Short mmCIF file of all heavy atoms in Angstrom, two decimals:
data_model
loop_
_atom_site.label_atom_id
_atom_site.label_comp_id
_atom_site.label_asym_id
_atom_site.label_seq_id
_atom_site.Cartn_x
_atom_site.Cartn_y
_atom_site.Cartn_z
N PHE A 25 8.08 0.10 4.78
CA PHE A 25 9.37 0.05 4.11
C PHE A 25 9.61 1.41 3.48
O PHE A 25 8.76 1.92 2.74
CB PHE A 25 9.41 -1.03 3.02
CG PHE A 25 9.77 -2.40 3.53
CD1 PHE A 25 8.83 -3.20 4.15
CD2 PHE A 25 11.07 -2.88 3.40
CE1 PHE A 25 9.15 -4.46 4.62
CE2 PHE A 25 11.41 -4.14 3.88
CZ PHE A 25 10.45 -4.93 4.49
N GLY A 26 10.77 2.00 3.74
CA GLY A 26 11.08 3.33 3.24
C GLY A 26 11.59 3.37 1.82
O GLY A 26 11.92 4.44 1.30
N VAL A 27 11.67 2.21 1.17
CA VAL A 27 12.16 2.15 -0.21
C VAL A 27 11.20 1.31 -1.05
O VAL A 27 10.41 0.52 -0.53
CB VAL A 27 13.58 1.56 -0.31
CG1 VAL A 27 14.58 2.45 0.40
CG2 VAL A 27 13.62 0.14 0.26
N GLY A 28 11.29 1.50 -2.36
CA GLY A 28 10.52 0.71 -3.31
C GLY A 28 11.35 0.52 -4.56
O GLY A 28 12.55 0.85 -4.58
N HIS A 29 10.74 0.01 -5.60
CA HIS A 29 11.52 -0.23 -6.80
C HIS A 29 10.81 0.30 -8.04
O HIS A 29 9.59 0.49 -8.05
CB HIS A 29 11.82 -1.72 -6.98
CG HIS A 29 10.67 -2.51 -7.53
ND1 HIS A 29 10.48 -2.71 -8.88
CD2 HIS A 29 9.64 -3.16 -6.92
CE1 HIS A 29 9.40 -3.43 -9.09
NE2 HIS A 29 8.87 -3.72 -7.91
N TYR A 30 11.57 0.52 -9.08
CA TYR A 30 11.05 0.87 -10.40
C TYR A 30 11.67 -0.12 -11.38
O TYR A 30 12.89 -0.10 -11.61
CB TYR A 30 11.43 2.30 -10.78
CG TYR A 30 10.76 2.79 -12.05
CD1 TYR A 30 9.52 3.43 -11.99
CD2 TYR A 30 11.33 2.59 -13.30
CE1 TYR A 30 8.88 3.86 -13.14
CE2 TYR A 30 10.71 3.02 -14.46
CZ TYR A 30 9.48 3.66 -14.37
OH TYR A 30 8.85 4.09 -15.52
N GLY A 31 10.86 -1.02 -11.92
CA GLY A 31 11.36 -2.00 -12.87
C GLY A 31 12.40 -2.93 -12.29
O GLY A 31 13.23 -3.47 -13.02
N ALA A 32 12.39 -3.12 -10.95
CA ALA A 32 13.37 -3.96 -10.26
C ALA A 32 14.80 -3.51 -10.54
O ALA A 32 15.72 -4.33 -10.55
CB ALA A 32 13.19 -5.43 -10.64
N LEU A 33 15.01 -2.20 -10.72
CA LEU A 33 16.36 -1.67 -10.90
C LEU A 33 17.12 -1.75 -9.59
O LEU A 33 16.54 -1.74 -8.50
CB LEU A 33 16.30 -0.23 -11.40
CG LEU A 33 15.72 -0.03 -12.81
CD1 LEU A 33 15.56 1.45 -13.11
CD2 LEU A 33 16.59 -0.69 -13.86
N GLU A 34 18.43 -1.76 -9.71
CA GLU A 34 19.27 -1.90 -8.52
C GLU A 34 19.14 -0.71 -7.59
O GLU A 34 19.13 -0.85 -6.36
CB GLU A 34 20.74 -2.09 -8.93
CG GLU A 34 21.67 -2.33 -7.76
CD GLU A 34 23.11 -2.57 -8.19
OE1 GLU A 34 23.36 -2.63 -9.41
OE2 GLU A 34 23.97 -2.72 -7.31
N THR A 35 19.08 0.50 -8.13
CA THR A 35 18.89 1.69 -7.31
C THR A 35 17.44 1.79 -6.89
O THR A 35 16.53 1.88 -7.73
CB THR A 35 19.29 2.96 -8.07
OG1 THR A 35 20.63 2.84 -8.53
CG2 THR A 35 19.17 4.18 -7.15
N MET A 36 17.19 1.78 -5.60
CA MET A 36 15.83 1.77 -5.09
C MET A 36 15.24 3.18 -5.08
O MET A 36 15.97 4.19 -5.03
CB MET A 36 15.81 1.21 -3.66
CG MET A 36 16.44 -0.17 -3.54
SD MET A 36 15.51 -1.45 -4.41
CE MET A 36 14.13 -1.70 -3.29
N LEU A 37 13.91 3.26 -5.09
CA LEU A 37 13.23 4.53 -4.92
C LEU A 37 13.22 4.88 -3.43
O LEU A 37 12.91 4.05 -2.59
CB LEU A 37 11.80 4.44 -5.44
CG LEU A 37 11.62 4.16 -6.92
CD1 LEU A 37 10.13 4.12 -7.27
CD2 LEU A 37 12.34 5.19 -7.78
N ASN A 38 13.56 6.13 -3.14
CA ASN A 38 13.67 6.58 -1.75
C ASN A 38 12.36 7.23 -1.31
O ASN A 38 12.17 8.43 -1.47
CB ASN A 38 14.83 7.56 -1.62
CG ASN A 38 14.98 8.06 -0.19
OD1 ASN A 38 14.47 7.45 0.75
ND2 ASN A 38 15.68 9.18 -0.03
N PHE A 39 11.45 6.44 -0.76
CA PHE A 39 10.17 6.98 -0.31
C PHE A 39 10.32 7.85 0.94
O PHE A 39 9.45 8.66 1.25
CB PHE A 39 9.19 5.85 -0.03
CG PHE A 39 8.72 5.12 -1.27
CD1 PHE A 39 8.54 3.75 -1.26
CD2 PHE A 39 8.47 5.80 -2.45
CE1 PHE A 39 8.12 3.07 -2.39
CE2 PHE A 39 8.04 5.13 -3.59
CZ PHE A 39 7.87 3.77 -3.56
N SER A 40 11.41 7.68 1.68
CA SER A 40 11.59 8.46 2.90
C SER A 40 11.75 9.95 2.61
O SER A 40 11.62 10.77 3.51
CB SER A 40 12.79 7.95 3.70
OG SER A 40 13.99 8.14 2.98
N ALA A 41 12.02 10.31 1.34
CA ALA A 41 12.17 11.72 0.97
C ALA A 41 10.83 12.37 0.63
O ALA A 41 10.80 13.58 0.34
CB ALA A 41 13.12 11.84 -0.23
N LEU A 42 9.74 11.63 0.66
CA LEU A 42 8.44 12.15 0.25
C LEU A 42 7.86 13.09 1.31
O LEU A 42 8.01 12.86 2.51
CB LEU A 42 7.48 10.99 0.00
CG LEU A 42 7.85 10.05 -1.14
CD1 LEU A 42 6.94 8.83 -1.15
CD2 LEU A 42 7.80 10.77 -2.48
N ASP A 43 7.18 14.12 0.83
CA ASP A 43 6.53 15.09 1.71
C ASP A 43 5.16 14.55 2.11
O ASP A 43 4.13 14.88 1.53
CB ASP A 43 6.39 16.44 0.99
CG ASP A 43 5.75 17.51 1.86
OD1 ASP A 43 5.72 17.33 3.10
OD2 ASP A 43 5.27 18.51 1.30
N SER A 44 5.16 13.68 3.10
CA SER A 44 3.94 13.02 3.53
C SER A 44 4.12 12.56 4.97
O SER A 44 5.25 12.33 5.42
CB SER A 44 3.64 11.80 2.64
OG SER A 44 2.60 11.01 3.17
N GLY A 45 3.01 12.41 5.66
CA GLY A 45 3.07 11.81 6.98
C GLY A 45 3.34 10.32 6.93
O GLY A 45 3.57 9.69 7.95
N TYR A 46 3.33 9.77 5.70
CA TYR A 46 3.55 8.33 5.51
C TYR A 46 4.61 8.13 4.44
O TYR A 46 4.32 7.64 3.33
CB TYR A 46 2.24 7.65 5.10
CG TYR A 46 1.06 8.06 5.95
CD1 TYR A 46 0.14 9.00 5.48
CD2 TYR A 46 0.88 7.52 7.22
CE1 TYR A 46 -0.94 9.39 6.27
CE2 TYR A 46 -0.18 7.90 8.01
CZ TYR A 46 -1.09 8.84 7.54
OH TYR A 46 -2.14 9.23 8.31
N PRO A 47 5.87 8.48 4.71
CA PRO A 47 6.93 8.39 3.70
C PRO A 47 7.49 6.98 3.54
O PRO A 47 8.67 6.73 3.78
CB PRO A 47 7.97 9.37 4.23
CG PRO A 47 7.84 9.27 5.72
CD PRO A 47 6.37 9.05 5.98
N PHE A 48 6.62 6.07 3.15
CA PHE A 48 7.01 4.66 3.03
C PHE A 48 5.92 3.93 2.25
O PHE A 48 4.86 4.51 1.94
CB PHE A 48 7.18 4.00 4.41
CG PHE A 48 6.05 4.28 5.38
CD1 PHE A 48 4.85 3.57 5.29
CD2 PHE A 48 6.19 5.24 6.37
CE1 PHE A 48 3.81 3.83 6.18
CE2 PHE A 48 5.15 5.50 7.27
CZ PHE A 48 3.97 4.79 7.17
N GLN A 49 6.16 2.67 1.92
CA GLN A 49 5.09 1.79 1.46
C GLN A 49 4.81 0.80 2.59
O GLN A 49 5.72 0.41 3.33
CB GLN A 49 5.47 1.07 0.17
CG GLN A 49 6.72 0.24 0.21
CD GLN A 49 6.97 -0.45 -1.11
OE1 GLN A 49 6.07 -0.61 -1.92
NE2 GLN A 49 8.20 -0.88 -1.34
N LEU A 50 3.56 0.45 2.74
CA LEU A 50 3.14 -0.42 3.83
C LEU A 50 2.91 -1.83 3.29
O LEU A 50 2.08 -2.03 2.40
CB LEU A 50 1.85 0.11 4.46
CG LEU A 50 1.39 -0.57 5.75
CD1 LEU A 50 2.33 -0.21 6.90
CD2 LEU A 50 -0.04 -0.17 6.08
N VAL A 51 3.68 -2.79 3.79
CA VAL A 51 3.50 -4.18 3.40
C VAL A 51 2.39 -4.77 4.25
O VAL A 51 2.52 -4.89 5.47
CB VAL A 51 4.80 -4.97 3.56
CG1 VAL A 51 4.58 -6.44 3.19
CG2 VAL A 51 5.90 -4.38 2.68
N ILE A 52 1.29 -5.12 3.60
CA ILE A 52 0.12 -5.64 4.31
C ILE A 52 -0.63 -6.55 3.35
O ILE A 52 -0.81 -6.20 2.19
CB ILE A 52 -0.78 -4.48 4.83
CG1 ILE A 52 -1.98 -5.02 5.61
CG2 ILE A 52 -1.21 -3.56 3.71
CD1 ILE A 52 -2.79 -3.91 6.32
N PRO A 53 -1.03 -7.74 3.77
CA PRO A 53 -1.74 -8.64 2.85
C PRO A 53 -3.01 -7.99 2.29
O PRO A 53 -3.76 -7.34 3.04
CB PRO A 53 -2.08 -9.85 3.73
CG PRO A 53 -1.08 -9.81 4.83
CD PRO A 53 -0.83 -8.35 5.09
N GLN A 54 -3.25 -8.16 1.00
CA GLN A 54 -4.44 -7.56 0.41
C GLN A 54 -5.70 -8.15 1.04
O GLN A 54 -6.71 -7.46 1.18
CB GLN A 54 -4.45 -7.76 -1.10
CG GLN A 54 -5.60 -7.03 -1.78
CD GLN A 54 -5.44 -6.94 -3.28
OE1 GLN A 54 -4.33 -6.85 -3.78
NE2 GLN A 54 -6.54 -6.99 -4.00
N SER A 55 -5.64 -9.41 1.45
CA SER A 55 -6.81 -10.02 2.11
C SER A 55 -7.15 -9.27 3.40
O SER A 55 -8.33 -9.09 3.73
CB SER A 55 -6.53 -11.49 2.41
OG SER A 55 -5.36 -11.63 3.22
N LEU A 56 -6.13 -8.82 4.12
CA LEU A 56 -6.37 -8.06 5.35
C LEU A 56 -6.91 -6.67 5.02
O LEU A 56 -7.80 -6.16 5.71
CB LEU A 56 -5.07 -7.95 6.16
CG LEU A 56 -5.14 -7.15 7.46
CD1 LEU A 56 -6.24 -7.68 8.38
CD2 LEU A 56 -3.79 -7.19 8.18
N THR A 57 -6.38 -6.06 3.96
CA THR A 57 -6.91 -4.77 3.52
C THR A 57 -8.40 -4.89 3.21
O THR A 57 -9.21 -4.05 3.63
CB THR A 57 -6.15 -4.28 2.28
OG1 THR A 57 -4.79 -4.02 2.65
CG2 THR A 57 -6.76 -3.01 1.71
N GLU A 58 -8.78 -5.94 2.49
CA GLU A 58 -10.19 -6.14 2.17
C GLU A 58 -11.02 -6.35 3.43
O GLU A 58 -12.13 -5.83 3.56
CB GLU A 58 -10.32 -7.35 1.24
CG GLU A 58 -9.71 -7.10 -0.14
CD GLU A 58 -9.67 -8.36 -0.98
OE1 GLU A 58 -10.16 -9.43 -0.51
OE2 GLU A 58 -9.15 -8.30 -2.11
#
Side-chain angles (χ1 to χ4, degrees):
F25 274 80
V27 296
H29 79 91
Y30 188 90
L33 294 173
E34 183 178 356
T35 304
M36 305 294 284
L37 297 181
N38 180 19
F39 291 142
S40 65
L42 296 171
D43 181 18
S44 170
Y46 314 101
F48 47 79
Q49 57 178 341
L50 189 70
V51 178
I52 182 171
Q54 186 166 327
S55 57
L56 178 55
T57 295
E58 293 172 2

